[in-house]
Amino acid sequence: MPAVQETVERVRAIDVDQYKYGFTTDIESELAPKGLDESTVRFISAKKNEPEWMLEWRLDAFRRWLTMREPTWARVSYPKIDFQDLYYYAAPKAKAGPKSIDEIDPEILKTYEKLGIPLRERDALLGIESSGGSKVAVDAVFDSVSVATTFKAELAKAGVIFCSISEAIREHPELVKQYLGSVVPVSDNFYATLNSAVFSDGSFVYVPKGVRCPMELSTYFRINEKNTGQFERTLIIADEGAYVSYLEGCTAPQRDENQLHAAVVELVALKDAEIKYSTVQNWYPGDAEGKGGIYNFVTKRGDCRGDNSKIAWTQVETGSAITWKYPSCILRGDNSQGEFYSIAISNGYQQVDSGTKMIHLGKNTSSRIISKGIAAGHSENTYRGLVSAHRRATGARNFTNCDSLLIGDKCGAHTVPYIEANNSSAMFEHEATTSKISDDQKFYCLQRGLSEEEAVALIVNGFVKDVLQQLPMEFAVEAQKLIAVSLEGSVG
Amino acid sequence: MDPSRVDFPPGPAGAPMDTMTMLDIRNLHARIDDREILKGLDLTLNAGEVHAIMGPNGSGKSTLSYVLAGKDDYEVTEGTATLDGEDLLEMEPDARAAAGLFLAFQYPIEIPGVANMTFLRTALNAQRKARGEAEISTPDFLRLVKEKASDLGISQEMLRRGVNVGFSGGEKKRNEILQMSILEPKLCILDETDSGLDIDALKIVAQGVNALRSPKRAMLVITHYQRLLDHIVPDVVHVMHQGRIVRSGGKELALELEASGYAAYGDAA
Ligand SMILES: Nc1ncnc2c1ncn2[C@@H]1O[C@H](COP(=O)(O)OP(=O)(O)OP(=O)(O)O)[C@@H](O)[C@H]1O
Ligand SMILES: [Mg+2]
């Protein structure tokens, strides 16, 4: 086929309806009334049996939110969201809290099975030593409520607290009071403030002094209820000398209306502590015209609060109609380190505006940013990154490498780096490339017998290898499959 | 091909009488953009034979190999090409590969981040799948690669590196032959595999190619130099000029060309 014609057909052939996980589960939900006012906030807080101080915290956030406006600086466009036309709370109709896995609604278990995360298999997934000798604990968030928490006992033995944020608010109020909102302040940004007012659930992790968390912690998010905003709130604290690796992964059912998601994740690493946070994100990206996908406005931030602390974000972003997400590090402690490894794939009509902020405050702090953006179809893929050094941040160092790969000629890749060095000893390096999958590379693969889709998947996997290597094994395999799936239909 | 142009009977001495036609090209015309490069090319290659194609720069040798492999920059305007009786020109490039056509590129392509080993395995399994065979097991694959790589003097380190990334010119060519010996194609097209090889590497590569010679396989060896043909002795030598085969003969034709060059073909087209 002549090249030009092929390109035209390739673009026509884009069919993001192939989304694998487009199904819904049939569970009656308990909904908060549609819309948002103080009574919604009170309803959510009451549903969660929250103490008075938490309700006040939420109400304070809500009042601030009323005075704020949606940010417009990102390179994304979408119809105006009517915040009064959303439900802010949905819970699977709970009997009493499930005591064992047998009490969990079989419908929910089935949904997880379709996603390839069978809770029934969790013994294998979680309990049994895998080849690497590693274990995974899943705190499954179904819609807005944690329905199953596993391996608590073993974690408890190590002194690790891993539970839903609602439970933490009730059981560990002193920790929550101390750290919640200490990284992402209540009034940080429009979506974070909204989240602070109406967050329904999420995860909480506390790893005590000197403890190396004995397993990878993992949460699977699902969005299920029609028109339900999802407002997870995650708080992870690694106390002095502690280490924890946290994995987050998600898919969502196919929907006509856009679904809003505005999560907040806060990480706190004290002296000598290390936190690794890995995400594989595969929410519904919308149909072939770009309708119906998830709007993902996330605030993720880590605070390297103590000296010699380290926080690493790794993300594989393939889903959502709109992604607005900048996992960041505040390098407050001396010698602290921040890392950001990202693969962002956009296809169809997806719009991605993602990147990171590395804020160097302490002395001899260092940061590293490796970003791989892949745009196919009619999508727009923007890397937006800020690296800044405070005037007291003597010896701050950053290395940024930002590569974009274009598949087809109807998509766009953009790089928007901001650099602010207020200390003359700061050393910031920035590399950026934009390339296309060359016809020669593709032909070489085809000549060896690979199909066009296999060829693209292989070349893309090569392109993102440096980031894939940063993921824990369990996720790297999954992510590799996901990359192939998300690029299906990107070639003719 | 036009029999009047053949001044030496094709086929190795003692070849079976019922030689099977493997590659049959008739009156092939191909163009890139608006420029015609192949201008009525005829060529027949039987199973078990090795043919060499020689010809001046720009005569269309690489173009022929790309057209046969199905590179889509080229448009075939006239003529036919069949592999074992099947219409090659109708097939997608990956289907041609699965049908057994292999092209060792004049300029092998780099694919950063994809380990050579992964590439080999993906290619082998893709072809097996296309032919309805099961995937090769990991131990079998590792054994196979180890054996073939050591024959060709390719180190484990090169197998782990990105496909052709940072390989020297000669290493790239050896890597092409490694792929060929693992994929075991039935039609091997070697486009100037000897260029960039040092004297020892030339021998190693020639050995690798000769090891693949078989009554069931045919080879089309594109080269400028006799020295390759000292090692890979062809049954037939063709001269290509301005997009056509203008003369065919036995292996001594190559020696003649080496002595007198292509001046005699200046007006042959
Ligand atoms: N993309 C292209 N656009 C225009 N002309 C081209 C293109 N590719 C090849 N050609 C021309 O086609 C002719 C044949 O090229 P080809 O590479 O097939 O020659 P060759 O016989 O392999 O030469 P060499 O011995 O130098 O490898 C050359 O004149 C070349 O310039
Ligand atoms: Mg050539």
Side-chain angles (χ1 to χ4, degrees):
Chain A
M1 211 189 309
V4 178
Q5 187 194 343
E6 193 213 283
T7 308
V8 171
E9 288 182 20
R10 173 195 304 163
V11 168
R12 269 199 209 119
I14 290 158
D15 179 10
V16 279
D17 283 331
Q18 295 158 352
Y19 186 71
K20 293 272 194 289
Y21 303 136
F23 51 83
T24 56
T25 325
D26 210 359
I27 304 170
E28 260 186 272
S29 285
E30 207 179 330
L31 292 172
K34 215 180 207 183
L36 182 56
D37 58 20
E38 278 202 19
S39 71
T40 322
V41 178
R42 286 178 195 280
F43 175 91
I44 295 168
S45 190
K47 274 282 164 203
K48 300 275 163 193
N49 294 316
E50 284 176 357
E52 186 60 26
W53 62 266
M54 195 65 231
L55 174 63
E56 285 308 320
W57 198 85
R58 287 177 180 275
L59 287 172
D60 175 48
F62 176 71
R63 286 168 201 140
R64 285 169 193 248
W65 181 74
L66 288 175
T67 69
M68 296 168 88
R69 283 164 175 265
E70 273 182 86
T72 53
W73 43 262
R75 198 184 181 104
V76 293
S77 62
Y78 51 92
K80 204 158 168 47
I81 299 169
D82 180 355
F83 289 92
Q84 296 307 329
D85 194 36
L86 293 169
Y87 292 99
Y88 287 83
Y89 181 80
K93 267 230 166 108
K95 309 159 205 160
K99 296 201 173 49
S100 79
I101 202 81
D102 301 321
E103 287 178 38
I104 291 177
D105 189 325
E107 278 290 317
I108 294 180
L109 295 179
K110 253 195 268 166
T111 308
Y112 275 85
E113 261 168 60
K114 277 195 241 172
L115 286 171
I117 318 152
L119 278 191
R120 286 278 172 198
E121 264 179 34
R122 77 199 193 298
D123 297 32
L125 180 68
L126 319 172
I128 296 156
E129 299 275 324
S130 66
S131 48
S134 60
K135 294 177 183 177
V136 179
V138 178
D139 173 25
V141 176
F142 188 86
D143 259 8
S144 313
V145 171
S146 296
V147 286
T149 302
T150 46
F151 271 72
K152 259 190 188 166
E154 190 170 335
L155 290 169
K157 226 193 300 169
V160 175
I161 303 169
F162 178 31
C163 61
S164 73
I165 192 91
S166 308
E167 186 178 335
I169 289 165
R170 292 189 302 266
E171 308 292 328
H172 308 282
E174 66 301 330
L175 285 171
V176 176
K177 270 187 196 165
Q178 187 180 349
Y179 291 106
L180 190 73
S182 75
V183 186
V184 178
V186 166
S187 55
D188 190 80
N189 70 71
F190 183 83
Y191 297 107
T193 307
L194 177 62
N195 174 289
S196 300
V198 299
F199 72 84
S200 39
D201 219 325
S203 295
F204 176 84
V205 178
Y206 172 79
V207 187
K209 268 187 192 155
V211 170
R212 200 180 161 84
C213 184
M215 62 186 81
E216 310 260 7
L217 302 180
S218 155
T219 305
Y220 293 92
F221 294 93
R222 293 273 282 135
I223 299 181
N224 198 288
E225 272 308 310
K226 194 171 182 164
N227 259 350
T228 301
Q230 277 277 296
F231 303 94
E232 274 98 8
R233 185 91 194 187
T234 296
L235 176 59
I236 299 176
I237 303 136
D239 211 327
E240 291 183 9
Y243 167 85
V244 62
S245 166
Y246 187 90
L247 320 181
E248 170 203 319
C250 34
T251 67
Q254 191 158 346
R255 279 294 180 199
D256 284 329
E257 281 105 320
N258 290 299
Q259 294 179 301
L260 176 65
H261 186 95
V264 172
V265 176
E266 295 178 277
L267 311 181
V268 181
L270 300 182
K271 190 166 174 287
D272 299 320
E274 179 176 352
I275 302 175
K276 271 182 140 159
Y277 193 103
S278 312
T279 308
V280 174
Q281 189 269 111
N282 181 27
W283 283 331
Y284 182 55
D287 66 12
E289 273 83 52
K291 273 173 56 190
I294 303 288
Y295 290 3
N296 193 19
F297 300 97
V298 189
T299 305
K300 287 183 165 176
R301 196 173 303 154
D303 189 356
C304 286
R305 207 163 281 184
D307 293 349
N308 312 313
S309 57
K310 181 174 173 182
I311 288 177
W313 297 100
T314 306
Q315 60 172 22
V316 179
E317 297 281 326
T318 66
S320 299
I322 293 173
T323 303
W324 181 100
K325 183 179 175 190
Y326 316 90
S328 305
C329 296
I330 300 167
L331 303 168
R332 199 184 303 274
D334 291 347
N335 309 311
S336 61
Q337 295 174 44
E339 290 175 358
F340 175 75
Y341 301 99
S342 171
I343 298 169
I345 299 181
S346 54
N347 196 356
Y349 282 85
Q350 284 175 270
Q351 305 174 57
V352 178
D353 195 300
S354 184
T356 185
K357 286 191 253 181
M358 293 291 174
I359 314 289
H360 293 255
L361 303 177
K363 293 188 177 54
N364 299 316
T365 48
S366 63
S367 60
R368 185 178 166 84
I369 298 169
I370 309 282
S371 163
K372 307 278 180 179
I374 297 142
H378 295 253
S379 66
E380 293 292 330
N381 203 321
T382 301
Y383 167 82
R384 189 183 301 276
L386 166 70
V387 179
S388 81
H390 192 267
R391 67 191 159 74
R392 280 191 299 261
T394 311
R397 276 163 301 149
N398 167 267
F399 173 76
T400 298
N401 171 268
C402 206
D403 296 328
S404 309
L405 186 69
L406 298 167
I407 301 174
D409 55 7
K410 293 276 194 302
C411 51
H414 318 276
T415 302
V416 191
Y418 304 89
I419 293 174
E420 300 166 5
N422 296 315
N423 183 300
S424 58
S425 67
M427 284 187 15
F428 293 166
E429 273 179 79
H430 183 94
E431 287 175 2
T433 65
T434 300
S435 51
K436 286 192 136 193
I437 291 190
S438 81
D439 289 342
D440 283 344
Q441 282 178 329
K442 219 157 63 180
F443 176 64
Y444 191 66
C445 294
L446 294 184
Q447 209 303 302
R448 297 305 185 243
L450 277 69
S451 70
E452 211 163 329
E453 294 201 337
E454 285 171 324
V456 169
L458 188 81
I459 295 166
V460 168
N461 268 305
F463 176 74
V464 301
K465 194 189 80 182
D466 294 348
V467 174
L468 275 187
Q469 280 173 339
Q470 299 297 329
L471 285 173
M473 266 297 281
E474 300 91 308
F475 258 24
V477 176
E478 198 181 317
Q480 209 162 346
K481 283 191 209 143
L482 193 57
I483 288 165
V485 170
S486 23
L487 288 171
E488 273 175 23
S490 69
V491 291
Chain B
M1 77 189 85
D2 182 355
S4 67
R5 286 188 178 140
V6 178
D7 53 23
F8 193 87
M17 289 305 290
D18 55 340
T19 43
M20 273 271 299
T21 300
M22 179 166 286
L23 178 66
D24 193 22
I25 305 173
R26 296 191 189 184
N27 189 33
L28 191 62
H29 290 256
R31 62 188 344 169
I32 183 156
D33 300 330
D34 277 334
R35 185 163 161 211
E36 185 163 63
I37 312 284
L38 300 184
K39 303 172 179 170
L41 184 137
D42 296 293
L43 182 70
T44 306
L45 195 57
N46 294 322
E49 294 177 353
V50 173
H51 290 207
I53 295 186
M54 304 180 81
N57 296 134
S59 54
K61 302 179 299 298
S62 294
T63 301
L64 173 63
S65 67
Y66 286 144
V67 168
L68 291 175
K71 196 169 188 208
D72 65 9
D73 307 334
Y74 300 90
E75 189 193 351
V76 174
T77 51
E78 221 183 313
T80 57
T82 58
L83 179 68
D84 274 345
E86 276 191 88
D87 185 356
L88 263 184
L89 304 178
E90 276 299 301
M91 297 157 88
E92 293 296 325
D94 49 329
R96 299 184 198 198
L101 184 149
F102 181 93
L103 169 61
F105 285 63
Q106 182 173 1
Y107 304 107
I109 307 296
E110 300 186 2
I111 311 177
V114 177
N116 215 4
M117 194 87 139
T118 308
F119 183 69
L120 277 169
R121 187 171 178 168
T122 310
L124 181 58
N125 281 331
Q127 294 199 13
R128 283 178 164 233
K129 201 171 88 188
R131 292 192 294 256
E133 300 164 18
E135 292 200 348
I136 190 168
S137 74
T138 304
D140 286 351
F141 175 74
L142 293 176
R143 212 173 301 127
L144 181 69
V145 172
K146 207 173 160 192
E147 183 200 316
K148 304 288 185 191
S150 84
D151 288 349
L152 289 162
I154 291 173
S155 67
Q156 292 296 306
E157 191 268 331
M158 271 170 68
L159 290 172
R160 281 192 296 270
R161 250 195 267 166
V163 177
N164 293 321
V165 176
F167 286 23
S168 73
E171 286 169 342
K172 284 183 182 169
K173 297 305 179 77
R174 269 187 279 162
N175 199 36
E176 293 290 286
I177 303 306
L178 173 66
Q179 294 176 15
M180 188 168 100
S181 29
I182 283 175
L183 296 172
E184 302 193 300
K186 70 183 168 200
L187 174 65
C188 308
I189 304 172
L190 308 180
D191 191 358
E192 293 195 30
T193 300
D194 51 338
S195 66
L197 291 179
D198 65 39
I199 298 153
D200 296 330
L202 182 72
K203 282 188 193 150
I204 293 170
V205 162
Q207 270 167 22
V209 173
N210 283 329
L212 283 165
R213 283 182 88 147
S214 119
K216 291 196 183 126
R217 189 169 283 134
M219 296 189 183
L220 196 57
V221 180
I222 297 169
T223 183
H224 285 294
Y225 303 105
Q226 169 60 31
R227 56 175 192 187
L228 178 69
L229 304 180
D230 286 340
H231 300 283
I232 304 172
V233 181
D235 300 302
V236 182
V237 174
H238 303 279
V239 180
M240 186 157 173
H241 187 72
Q242 297 193 354
R244 239 175 277 172
I245 301 293
V246 293
R247 192 171 165 208
S248 304
K251 58 176 186 283
E252 64 289 342
L253 178 53
L255 293 166
E256 185 192 316
L257 290 170
E258 185 120 294
S260 53
Y262 298 107
Y265 304 93
D267 55 355

Short mmCIF file of all heavy atoms in Angstrom, two decimals, chain B residues 57-58 60-63 106-107 191-192 222 224, ligand 2:
data_model
loop_
_atom_site.label_atom_id
_atom_site.label_comp_id
_atom_site.label_asym_id
_atom_site.label_seq_id
_atom_site.Cartn_x
_atom_site.Cartn_y
_atom_site.Cartn_z
N ASN B 57 26.49 0.55 -9.43
CA ASN B 57 25.73 1.30 -8.43
C ASN B 57 24.51 1.92 -9.10
O ASN B 57 24.60 2.45 -10.20
CB ASN B 57 26.56 2.44 -7.83
CG ASN B 57 27.76 1.94 -7.05
OD1 ASN B 57 28.86 2.43 -7.20
ND2 ASN B 57 27.56 0.94 -6.22
N GLY B 58 23.40 1.83 -8.40
CA GLY B 58 22.21 2.49 -8.92
C GLY B 58 21.48 1.70 -9.99
O GLY B 58 20.50 2.20 -10.56
N GLY B 60 19.67 -0.85 -9.58
CA GLY B 60 18.36 -1.29 -9.09
C GLY B 60 18.39 -2.59 -8.31
O GLY B 60 17.35 -3.19 -8.05
N LYS B 61 19.55 -3.00 -7.86
CA LYS B 61 19.67 -4.28 -7.14
C LYS B 61 18.92 -4.24 -5.81
O LYS B 61 18.14 -5.14 -5.50
CB LYS B 61 21.16 -4.62 -6.91
CG LYS B 61 21.97 -4.69 -8.21
CD LYS B 61 23.43 -5.01 -7.97
CE LYS B 61 24.19 -3.99 -7.13
NZ LYS B 61 24.26 -2.63 -7.71
N SER B 62 19.19 -3.20 -5.02
CA SER B 62 18.48 -3.10 -3.73
C SER B 62 16.99 -2.90 -3.97
O SER B 62 16.15 -3.43 -3.23
CB SER B 62 19.03 -1.95 -2.89
OG SER B 62 20.36 -2.22 -2.52
N THR B 63 16.66 -2.13 -4.99
CA THR B 63 15.25 -1.92 -5.31
C THR B 63 14.56 -3.25 -5.55
O THR B 63 13.47 -3.50 -5.04
CB THR B 63 15.14 -1.01 -6.55
OG1 THR B 63 15.78 0.22 -6.27
CG2 THR B 63 13.68 -0.77 -6.92
N GLN B 106 21.06 -4.38 3.07
CA GLN B 106 22.34 -3.72 2.79
C GLN B 106 22.69 -2.79 3.96
O GLN B 106 23.84 -2.71 4.37
CB GLN B 106 22.25 -2.91 1.48
CG GLN B 106 23.55 -2.25 1.10
CD GLN B 106 23.51 -1.60 -0.30
OE1 GLN B 106 22.48 -1.63 -0.99
NE2 GLN B 106 24.61 -1.00 -0.71
N TYR B 107 21.66 -2.12 4.49
CA TYR B 107 21.88 -1.25 5.66
C TYR B 107 20.92 -1.68 6.76
O TYR B 107 19.81 -1.17 6.85
CB TYR B 107 21.63 0.22 5.28
CG TYR B 107 22.49 0.67 4.12
CD1 TYR B 107 21.93 0.89 2.86
CD2 TYR B 107 23.86 0.87 4.29
CE1 TYR B 107 22.73 1.29 1.79
CE2 TYR B 107 24.66 1.28 3.23
CZ TYR B 107 24.08 1.48 1.98
OH TYR B 107 24.87 1.88 0.92
N ASP B 191 21.73 -8.71 0.39
CA ASP B 191 22.08 -7.48 -0.32
C ASP B 191 23.41 -6.95 0.20
O ASP B 191 23.47 -6.35 1.28
CB ASP B 191 20.96 -6.45 -0.15
CG ASP B 191 21.14 -5.25 -1.09
OD1 ASP B 191 22.14 -5.22 -1.84
OD2 ASP B 191 20.26 -4.35 -1.07
N GLU B 192 24.44 -7.16 -0.56
CA GLU B 192 25.79 -6.69 -0.21
C GLU B 192 26.18 -7.03 1.21
O GLU B 192 26.68 -6.20 1.97
CB GLU B 192 25.92 -5.18 -0.45
CG GLU B 192 25.84 -4.86 -1.93
CD GLU B 192 26.31 -3.46 -2.25
OE1 GLU B 192 27.19 -2.94 -1.53
OE2 GLU B 192 25.80 -2.88 -3.21
N ILE B 222 23.45 -10.54 -3.75
CA ILE B 222 23.81 -9.30 -4.43
C ILE B 222 25.19 -8.87 -3.95
O ILE B 222 25.42 -8.77 -2.74
CB ILE B 222 22.78 -8.20 -4.13
CG1 ILE B 222 21.40 -8.60 -4.65
CG2 ILE B 222 23.23 -6.86 -4.73
CD1 ILE B 222 20.27 -7.71 -4.17
N HIS B 224 29.20 -6.80 -5.17
CA HIS B 224 30.04 -6.12 -6.16
C HIS B 224 31.34 -6.86 -6.39
O HIS B 224 32.07 -6.54 -7.30
CB HIS B 224 30.37 -4.70 -5.66
CG HIS B 224 29.22 -3.75 -5.77
ND1 HIS B 224 28.69 -3.37 -6.98
CD2 HIS B 224 28.48 -3.11 -4.83
CE1 HIS B 224 27.69 -2.53 -6.78
NE2 HIS B 224 27.54 -2.35 -5.48
MG MG C 2 22.12 -1.57 -3.17
#
